[in-house]
Amino acid sequence: MPDPHGIVLHGPNATRRTDYLYRVSLKCLIRNEQGEVLVVKETGRHWWDLPGGGMDHGESIATAIAREMKEEVNMEGDFTFRILDVDEPALLSPQNFWQLRLVFAVTPERMVFSAGDDGDKIAFMSPSAFKGSEIATEKRIFDYAALAGL
């Protein structure tokens, strides 16, 4: 049974190792014809990030991407995606859980976006705008864009 920190204990006489659970976060890199990337300031946050979020139990990757992109940037319609990066697991201290972040290059059928229910502000910005950021999340936008060949 999992505890609040994602530790699955198998009992005092168990012979198997303890299991640790991770929250899976999906982030999506969408670029326009100018090579800019779509970024979002999620509700209640003051920094830019790629749109995306937590994958729910039972969701496929495509379903999770579609749901998160609708929630943050009102993306609708078909899209293709490919994996760009898998970050090292990290402890999110304020929430006290471990997260594994998967980053996808996403190519939507329609390039129509607006701030969604979970996004306060969206923009297409040059990845180089984030290269020197002191905010780790913003700095990673530049790194992911480099992996995508931007």
Side-chain angles (χ1 to χ4, degrees):
M1 168 168 267
D3 80 353
H5 304 105
I7 300 171
V8 180
L9 303 173
H10 299 289
N13 299 322
T15 58
R16 62 186 287 195
R17 296 184 337 218
T18 299
D19 288 321
Y20 298 90
L21 304 178
Y22 292 88
R23 177 180 185 264
V24 177
S25 175
L26 309 173
K27 292 295 182 173
C28 302
L29 187 137
I30 295 176
R31 61 182 169 178
N32 63 16
E33 292 178 0
Q34 294 76 36
E36 299 167 319
V37 296
L38 181 63
V39 292
V40 62
K41 283 189 180 177
E42 292 181 35
T43 303
R45 296 185 180 171
H46 66 277
W47 62 88
W48 293 104
D49 198 356
L50 296 177
M55 186 174 184
D56 292 340
H57 289 263
E59 280 187 312
S60 68
I61 290 172
T63 300
I65 289 171
R67 178 184 52 75
E68 283 293 338
M69 296 302 289
K70 174 64 178 161
E71 290 174 0
E72 292 189 12
V73 298
N74 279 317
M75 184 182 90
E76 294 182 348
D78 288 335
F79 58 91
T80 59
F81 63 95
R82 66 180 172 87
I83 190 78
L84 278 179
D85 194 33
V86 178
D87 282 353
E88 290 293 327
L91 176 64
L92 300 182
S93 297
Q95 296 86 3
N96 199 24
F97 60 76
W98 285 84
Q99 177 174 272
L100 178 66
R101 185 183 247 211
L102 309 176
V103 183
F104 296 90
V106 174
T107 305
E109 177 182 73
R110 297 175 47 226
M111 293 288 286
V112 178
F113 307 101
S114 62
D117 292 341
D118 292 347
D120 281 344
K121 199 173 183 183
I122 67 167
F124 274 98
M125 297 176 70
S126 170
S128 63
F130 302 105
K131 184 176 182 178
S133 178
E134 294 183 14
I135 299 171
T137 303
E138 290 184 345
K139 170 76 171 72
R140 287 195 302 238
I141 295 168
F142 174 79
D143 297 338
Y144 298 141
L147 288 172
L150 296 178

